[in-house]
Amino acid sequence: MSRLDVFIDRMVSQRASLDFGIAETAAMDGPVFELGLGNGRTYHHMRETIEGRDIYVFERAVASHPDSTPDDAFLLLGEVTDTLPQALEQFGPTASLIHADLGGHNLAKNDIFARKVSPLIEPLLAPGGLMVSSDRMYFENLTELPLAPGAVEGRCFIYRK
Ligand SMILES: C[S@@+](CC[C@H](N)C(=O)[O-])C[C@H]1O[C@@H](n2cnc3c(N)ncnc32)[C@H](O)[C@@H]1O
C-alpha cells in the first residue's frame, strides 16, 4: 500500500466518521471540540455541516487556511495537555462531539500521546456524546462503536459515552 493510498484512506475515513458523528449527535446542543486545527480542513467541514452548536478549536499554533480559521473567542490556544483541563473547568461534561486529529507521521509517538490525552478528553463528553479520532484512544468508560459506513478499518475510531 502506497503512502498515497494510506492518505486517501485516512481522508475518506475522517469524513465518513465525522459525518456519522455529526448526524448521531445532531439532537444534542452541547459544544463541539476540534483538537488539532492544522490546515483547517476538518474544522471547515464541521463548520459547514454542524448547525446550532458552537465549535471550539484546540491548537498550539494556528497555521490554517484563512477560510478555516476560528474567531479568537472559539480558539483554545496552547498545548492540549494544558487546555483540555482548562476546558473541563470552563465547560464541564457538556461536549456533544469531540474530534481529534493530533498525530503526526510517527505512529508509536501518536500512540503514546493518545494514551496521555485520553483521560483528559473522556470527562469532557456529555452522556451520549461521541469522540471521533484518527488514533486509537484509551478510555475507561467509553464504548468503541463499529466502523462508520464508508470508513476504512484502523484509520478512524469512534467512541460513545
Ligand atoms: C494533522 S494536523 C490536523 C489536521 C486537520 N485535521 C486538518 O484537516 O487540516 C495536527 C494538528 O494538531 C496540532 N497539535 C499536535 N499536538 C498538539 C498538542 N499537544 N497541543 C495542541 N495542538 C497540537 C498540530 O499543531 C497540528 O496543527
Side-chain angles (χ1 to χ4, degrees), residues 14-104:
Q14 253 180 4
R15 184 179 57 188
S17 304
L18 269 175
D19 286 347
F20 173 85
I22 290 165
E24 283 284 306
T25 57
M28 299 176 73
D29 55 10
V32 175
F33 295 155
E34 166 78 323
L35 313 184
L37 178 64
N39 182 282
R41 289 190 190 97
T42 49
Y43 169 66
H44 189 264
H45 187 72
M46 292 159 84
R47 222 179 43 192
E48 293 289 302
T49 316
I50 293 171
E51 286 173 16
R53 288 183 275 175
D54 289 332
I55 307 174
Y56 291 87
V57 176
F58 296 64
E59 173 59 57
R60 61 157 69 105
V62 173
S64 48
H65 188 282
D67 280 355
S68 312
T69 302
D71 291 341
D72 285 351
F74 293 93
L75 182 64
L76 288 95
L77 195 60
E79 290 295 312
V80 291
T81 44
D82 296 326
T83 54
L84 287 169
Q86 288 163 11
L88 185 59
E89 281 183 22
Q90 185 178 345
F91 298 99
T94 60
S96 54
L97 178 66
I98 301 176
H99 173 240
D101 183 19
L102 291 163

Side-chain angles (χ1 to χ4, degrees), residues 137-149:
M137 304 301 284
Y138 297 90
F139 297 123
E140 281 200 358
N141 296 306
L142 305 194
T143 306
E144 185 171 350
L145 300 188
L147 204 59

